[in-house]
Amino acid sequence: MEPLSAEQYVESLYAADEHLERVKESIRAHGMPEISIAPGYGRLLTLLVRISGAQRVLEIGALGGYSGICLARGLGENGKMISLELNESFAELAQANLRAAGLGDKVEYRVGEALSHLERLHDEGARFDFVFIDADKGNYVHYLDWSIRLANPGALIVADNALMHGKTMNPEVTSPSVRVIREFNRRIATDDRLESVILPAYDGLCIARVKH
Ligand code: MG
């Protein structure tokens, strides 16, 4: 028998999660991209929200609600999440999936270009304790700038797909989105306003704490 990968082994220890399975099935049924966050990182999102005691969470990129469920699960009684999603039908599916998971009252979806919504949130005076970035890679550096601007002191900024399935560390790949991710990762690692770690499992996850 072939040995399992480290990730397969770890996943084999956990029972299937009906609400997250429903999200994955609904994404397949709608022909949407099957790019939800890895289950291990989903569990990490729940833990990070819970441990940090975050009250205000911002998600950039909802897709079908997989990470949304993981984030919302970590929220306390008064915790709320705003989720930004470009595609209206994706936001509707995510909302339905959060409702089905009993988390519908925790989340508000805002549909449209994330950059305009981020500017609007800033103008509204919104501030967040936790930001999760998992959207179009070409805007990741802009999303990081806005996340820092919208962060309460000590806020966490978490971002998926640091490795872009290997493209990030392949010097022969020079597409614009890969260049942006490389710059994003450099910023996560070196920006004086942040303390951070980049986890290389699955597709790579950045976790940064805003110091100010
Ligand atoms: Mg992703």
Side-chain angles (χ1 to χ4, degrees), residues 12 39 79 94 118 135 180 188:
S12 76
L118 291 164
V180 170
I188 289 286

Side-chain angles (χ1 to χ4, degrees), residues 7 10-11 14 37-47 66 199 202 205:
E7 292 161 3
V10 170
E11 294 312 333
Y14 287 87
I37 192 167
Y41 283 161
R43 288 189 284 271
L44 181 57
L45 290 179
T46 304
L47 276 177
Y66 190 105
L199 304 180
Y202 302 100
L205 192 76

Side-chain angles (χ1 to χ4, degrees), residues 54-68:
Q55 294 278 329
R56 292 290 173 269
V57 172
L58 174 64
E59 178 182 57
I60 306 175
L63 191 64
Y66 190 105
S67 53

